[in-house]
Amino acid sequence: MANLYQAFASIKTEKEFNNFLRDICTPDEIKALNNRWKIAQLLFEKKLSQSEIAEKLNTGLATVSRVARSLNDKSTGGYHRVISNTNHA
């Protein structure tokens, strides 16, 4: 994963990011990543229930629950760290 981290860390612009993501992911993978990110942000805001988020984003409750488990997993804190960083940018 260090090589992948270095690849992402080298990206300087949103256009470079979009082009790189399109090269390494399928359209469905990009859609899934974007959807999980939206779910995480909505869960973090704590304004909607998991079922309301699933309905709002037209996604399965299982996907929302999976993101919620990751969001609540304090061992990595990945979602929390990135959401906090992007909310203060």
Side-chain angles (χ1 to χ4, degrees):
M1 292 238 309
N3 287 339
L4 187 57
Y5 167 77
Q6 290 171 349
F8 275 102
S10 74
I11 297 170
K12 303 290 185 234
T13 67
E14 186 174 342
K15 183 177 180 179
E16 286 179 8
F17 173 78
N18 289 333
N19 289 340
F20 182 64
L21 209 56
R22 284 186 189 113
D23 285 347
I24 66 168
C25 296
T26 66
D28 284 342
E29 290 168 334
I30 293 169
K31 183 178 177 183
L33 288 170
N34 192 48
N35 193 44
R36 288 183 199 130
W37 180 240
K38 287 178 186 175
I39 292 167
Q41 291 173 307
L42 290 170
L43 287 167
F44 189 81
E45 292 173 1
K46 299 181 181 183
K47 294 179 181 175
L48 299 173
S49 69
Q50 289 187 22
S51 59
E52 289 170 326
I53 292 170
E55 185 176 327
K56 176 181 176 120
L57 298 180
N58 195 32
T59 193
L61 186 56
T63 301
V64 177
S65 296
R66 188 175 321 116
V67 173
R69 278 193 304 277
S70 295
L71 187 64
N72 293 324
D73 182 0
K74 304 300 182 200
S75 67
T76 60
Y79 275 125
H80 279 278
R81 195 170 304 112
V82 175
I83 288 172
S84 294
N85 288 344
T86 58
N87 285 344
H88 291 90

